[in-house]
Structure formats: C-alpha cells, structure tokens
Amino acid sequence: MTYQNKPLQIPAQKFIEAAACWNLEQLYADLTAAKQDYTCSRKQRLTPLEKTYLRGLLCNYSPVEIAAALHRECAGIRVDLSRGLYRYIQVLTLQQPKDWKEIPSMLEIRGYQQKSNGETLLPTLRNYTQTPQTPIENRTEWGLAVDTSIFYGRTTELANLEQWILQEDCRLVAVLGMGGIGKTALTSKLTNLIKHQFECLIWVNLRHAPVLADTLVNLIEFLSDKPQSDLDKLQLITQDKNFFQSAISQIEFSLENLIASTNAIEPTIIADGIQRLIQCLQKRRCLIILDEWEAVFCTEELTGNYREGYQVYGEFLKQVGTSQHQSCLLLTSCEKPKEIAALEGQNQSVRSLKLGSLGEAAVEILKNKGLSEEGEYSQLIEAYSGNPLALKIVTTTIHDMFGDSIANFLRNGLFLGDYSDTLSRQFNRLSGLEIQLLHCMAKEVKPVGCEKLYSDIQQDRDSELLKALESLLRRSLIETVQAESETLFALQPAVKKYVMSVARLPKL
C-alpha cells in the first residue's frame, strides 16, 4: 500500500511511549540548537513532524513502520530524515548515523535515555554525579606535572576552578597569565584535589609543539578501554612528521610547511580523530590537562595565530568546548586562545581564569627564604607584581649578595636577574608593533590612553593598533586602568624594566 504525503496534522501523542524511556524535552531542546547551528538560523525550531519522527525512531520503529503509522510514503520520509533529523543528530553527537537503528544507541550514550520511573539510566551530561558512591577506578598519566608539596595561596582561584569543573560541569577551562605567575603549579594543585572525581586523568605538555595528530593518538589510546587498531591514518601523520624532522638537516625544506601538507592531505583524518576523542570524553569522565598551549601559536605575530599546520588545534578547542560530554579539558597558556575568548561569553561551559599577583600569600615565599625585614615585604612584592617566580629568583639574590637585606637590595633599583630569561621567552613571541607599543608605554610615568599611543607611534586611527593592544592584554603583558572618560594602559614594573634595559625596538 502506498500513501500520498499530503499536509496533515500530526497527533501530538503519536509514539508518545518514547516519553517513558527518554528525556524528550531535553532532547528536543538540544536538537533545536543543533538545527540552528546546521541551518545557521536562530529562528529554526524542531517541527511537530520532526519530533514525531524522532519519537518513532526512539521506539525502534523503522522508516517503513513510521510511514505506515502516519499514512505517508516511505520514500518521502526517508528524504525528510536524511535532509533533516539525521543532520541535526550528527551535529549534536559529532557522529554520522549510518542507519536508523544506530540513533537510539547514539543518544543513549549521551545520556538522554531514562528509566520508566523517571530516574536517569545513564548520568546526564549536564548533571553528572559529583560524589560517586563507590570509588572510581582511576587511570592516571601525570606527564610533566609539577610537585606542589610547597604551595602558596591561590585559595580563591582553586575554589573558582573547582566550582566550575565539578559543580558547573565546565567542559573547557583555561588558566592564563604571564610567565612565572604560577599557572602550572595552580593546575597541578587543583588536579591533586579533584582527581578522584574522574575516571581518567592525563597531563600533556605541549612545550615541543606536537602535531595534533600525535596528541590525539596519545589521548585516544590512553582513554580507550582497549587498544585501538584503527588509528593508522593519524599515526601516519605523526610518522611523516618524525621522518621530516630526521631529514630536515639534510634537505632544505621547511618543516612547518611539510607538517601543513600532511595535515592537508586528508582533513577528514584530523576531524575523525577529534570525533573519536569526543566519544571517549562522552563515555568516561576524564580530566585532560594541556600545559603550555602557547607553544602551538606563531611567534612574531599577534597572539592567537596558530603555527602553520597547527590551525586544527583551534578547531579541536571549539569541538571540546561546544560538544556535549561529561569531561573537562584544562589548558594553561601565557596567551589566551581566541577560541576561548569567543566561546566563554556565549557558552557557560567554557571559562578562563587570568592569574594576577599572589598577594599576601607571597609573604610566605620571603619568610621561607629567611628574609627578616618584614616591614619591606610589601614594597618588594609590589615591585615584582606578586609574581612567584620573580620573587623566588630575587630573594636568592638578596640572600647571596645583600645579606638578606631587602632595603639594601631595593636601593640599587629593580633587578631582574634570571627572571629576564622568562620575560625574554615571551618577548620573542611579540610582533614588531607590540614591541613598539611597549616601548611607548615604558617611557611614560603614568598609564597612557590610545590617543597618546597613536601620536607616539604616528599611526592612523585604524584597527591595527587596537588589535596589538588586545594581543598584549591576552599575553598578560599590559594592564588596563579605568579613568573617568577612557581606558588607560600600563606596564608592570618588571616588564617596564625589561623593555627599557633589554628589549630592542624593531625595524618596522
């Protein structure tokens, strides 16, 4: 028997038995958001017919059976499904359904199924149990996490991060700040405090800028229940890079261009790898720490621009931040990724924490170093903007050269010592315009505004100067000061000292 697809009113109760086993309201809402993303229109909603199709599939009705129940042609329903509902489900799950039979299991994995009494069968991705009744079997790979047996302050920052990750289920969190401010130490301390809330924990250092394929292979293999035999394409990209590295000394090729070419051969390989990792994050509650994210960014350019061949890291962040899963990716960086900046204002599952002065807790550093002039503590801490690394370095100098006298040390002016190396690594990443702006600010006694900077640099009022200022803010190298009628910009004393005594003006 055949049926014509004529306009009709779909009974709201058709296949309503799905409501006994599925959280339909949440699923309707999430698929509506997926439809809006797919159609690029915020006005789109799931139609009554699409909701009916969905309920039928969740009840394990085939398209043929749905067509019979609705007195419609099966061919028309198959077209509707392939052009509509299947696409939205793919956006929602990052997995393409090959057959209608896969859809219930795909949505079950993501926590939409529930028992008939309303109790959630699988933990929902939004309300994952924070205190498990039985201990979680924890799989841990610490990598290069630092020892935090001696840790100073940061109680507010720790509380905020713990709240975001455990109570508010944030999927993507960035800990930001200039070199030496304590990003890695804070993250390591936090990880020790909350690691028992996760099934899997892995710490990866990006200092040597591995290609994303390499990072994905390592993460997927560690987080999977059993060895993965189908990662050969991702591994091939990694092997190609290793080959290029071994040959680079003999062949005059650009390694970064070669890496880019391997990633460009089949972009879907990387996309598939990201999807595979997202599936791991959906199945298990995982905490992934990626330390020193700035290593995948370009140098001598404005911040947020990825090295050639590393742009897929940005897509990786987007997918982790916007996909539904029950895990958390925590990254540390001297530079704020633009993906974080774009998502955190729109998506409450994405947050960033910028670290500033250690404040009063820095006193413990000075006491532990045996400096007795407590009346001089605040002046020393302020001179180095409460930067833990800078204070540890200069207290050693005070002990070795000034007989533990802070006053005698400060009479000689601001001393950077080995902290210059940390600042140098950050300054080597700056664009020429950024360095020029820092020199203009360093010459001023007070914070300066945009008009003064335009005048000093003799540049037209275009967006380039504002982009450079924003880049310096995201690198934590300048600070804003609110005046009555405008925003002013200022340098920390240590940064100002470095600019005036070490950093050279570029030839523009």
Side-chain angles (χ1 to χ4, degrees), residues 216-259:
L216 289 173
V217 167
N218 291 336
L219 291 174
I220 293 169
E221 288 186 336
F222 178 81
L223 299 176
S224 299
D225 293 317
K226 55 186 178 180
Q228 302 294 300
S229 58
D230 54 347
L231 297 176
D232 52 324
K233 291 183 178 180
L234 276 172
Q235 289 169 331
L236 180 60
I237 294 177
T238 300
Q239 292 166 2
D240 285 346
K241 179 210 170 186
N242 292 336
F243 168 77
F244 294 142
Q245 283 178 322
S246 64
I248 199 67
S249 61
Q250 303 175 22
I251 307 174
E252 294 183 358
F253 279 48
S254 166
L255 177 59
E256 290 191 341
N257 287 339
L258 288 169
I259 292 172

Side-chain angles (χ1 to χ4, degrees), residues 25-75:
E25 292 307 314
Q26 186 64 53
L27 192 48
Y28 290 157
D30 292 345
L31 282 173
T32 294
K35 182 176 183 178
Q36 291 172 349
D37 288 342
Y38 178 73
T39 61
C40 299
S41 172
R42 296 294 105 184
K43 297 181 180 180
Q44 293 289 338
R45 296 289 184 273
L46 282 187
T47 66
L49 188 57
E50 288 171 333
K51 291 180 180 179
T52 302
Y53 290 162
L54 175 64
R55 293 196 299 270
L57 293 172
L58 294 178
C59 292
N60 292 311
Y61 284 87
S62 69
V64 174
E65 293 169 325
I66 293 173
L70 299 180
H71 305 287
R72 295 171 67 84
E73 289 186 350
C74 181

Side-chain angles (χ1 to χ4, degrees), residues 307-323:
R307 296 168 58 172
E308 188 64 36
Y310 287 77
Q311 292 86 350
V312 284
Y313 267 98
E315 181 61 26
F316 170 58
L317 279 191
K318 289 180 186 177
Q319 295 293 343
V320 171
T322 58
S323 302

Side-chain angles (χ1 to χ4, degrees), residues 67-82:
L70 299 180
H71 305 287
R72 295 171 67 84
E73 289 186 350
C74 181
I77 287 182
R78 290 187 186 277
V79 171
D80 289 347
L81 289 170
S82 63

Side-chain angles (χ1 to χ4, degrees), residues 250-276:
Q250 303 175 22
I251 307 174
E252 294 183 358
F253 279 48
S254 166
L255 177 59
E256 290 191 341
N257 287 339
L258 288 169
I259 292 172
S261 67
T262 60
N263 282 347
I265 293 172
E266 286 189 60
T268 54
I269 297 176
I270 297 295
D272 180 67
I274 294 174
Q275 179 179 320
R276 290 281 301 278

Side-chain angles (χ1 to χ4, degrees), residues 27 122 134 136 158 190 198 209 249 257 269 296 319 349 369 381 383 433-434 444 448 467 490 508:
L27 192 48
L122 294 176
T134 57
I136 293 175
L158 282 169
L190 172 75
F198 295 88
S249 61
N257 287 339
I269 297 176
V296 300
Q319 295 293 343
S349 293
K369 287 287 188 176
I381 293 170
L433 181 55
E434 287 175 294
E444 302 295 329
V448 296
K467 287 180 181 178
L508 298 179

